[in-house]
Amino acid sequence: KAGVTQTPRYLIKTRGQQVTLSCSPISGHRSVSWYQQTPGQGLQFLFEYFSETQRNKGNFPGRFSGRQFSNSRSEMNVSTLELGDSALYLCASSDVRGNYGYTFGSGTRLTVV
Amino acid sequence: SQQGEEDPQALSIQEGENATMNCSYKTSINNLQWYRQNSGRGLVHLILIRSNEREKHSGRLRVTLDTSKKSSSLLITASRAADTASYFCATVPSGAGSYQLTFGKGTKLSVIP
């Protein structure tokens, strides 16, 4: 059973640009969540999608957005990048409610210069 | 925002010793999960304990949950060098419509061969 796949693994962008990150969940998992990890703030929840609908959203500015496709693959987008957006972005997939835990991808390391 | 705190922030032990990490949280939960992260990689799900459970075992791992004190502990017995990693507790809040993990700040465990 393939794991959660995140692409790309590494990304370097310039302030003001936008970026799109991709996540393919485990086959059969319809819930996809996104998290941001930084040394200062730790792991913070961005948003969660189930069957193409956003069910929860964390406390992040509107520059952070996401979507989920009918095949459960998800993308997140960050517009007008700031230096503080440099982080490891992690995607996780699970069953309907995460009752058996979440499977995380290896993450996308975003560096904003 | 962080749900709670892990204690200690860092722990260094000899191979073969036991390692105990503690986690406190603030709100009512559906379940509590422990994850391991190796050096900036993705998170690996270790164990999940539901709010109506008090103790759970998985291999060399033992997790306890005290909902009256809003705390949990993770015990790793007979530690190995390969257990060197950061360990995070994460909670799923109780109540309908809550599908996000709220993480603690983590405990960095070093197992010395």
Side-chain angles (χ1 to χ4, degrees), chain A residues 27-102:
Chain A
S27 178
H29 281 183
R30 292 159 63 193
S31 170
V32 175
S33 306
W34 289 89
Y35 293 82
Q36 181 197 65
Q37 185 177 27
T38 59
Q41 298 299 317
L43 283 152
Q44 293 190 292
F45 171 75
L46 280 157
F47 25 67
E48 188 260 355
Y49 289 87
F50 179 80
S51 291
E52 303 178 67
T53 300
Q54 186 181 87
R55 293 198 294 191
N56 287 115
K57 188 177 193 305
N59 190 24
F60 278 81
R63 299 186 296 106
F64 291 81
S65 62
R67 59 177 175 167
Q68 186 180 34
F69 302 95
S70 58
N71 62 358
S72 294
R73 190 178 72 85
S74 177
E75 289 180 347
M76 67 163 282
N77 184 279
V78 188
S79 62
T80 321
L81 283 165
E82 301 177 358
L83 295 179
D85 298 333
S86 295
L88 180 66
Y89 290 88
L90 293 163
C91 165
S93 77
S94 72
D95 66 352
V96 174
R97 199 189 155 80
N99 285 330
Y100 302 97
Y102 292 74

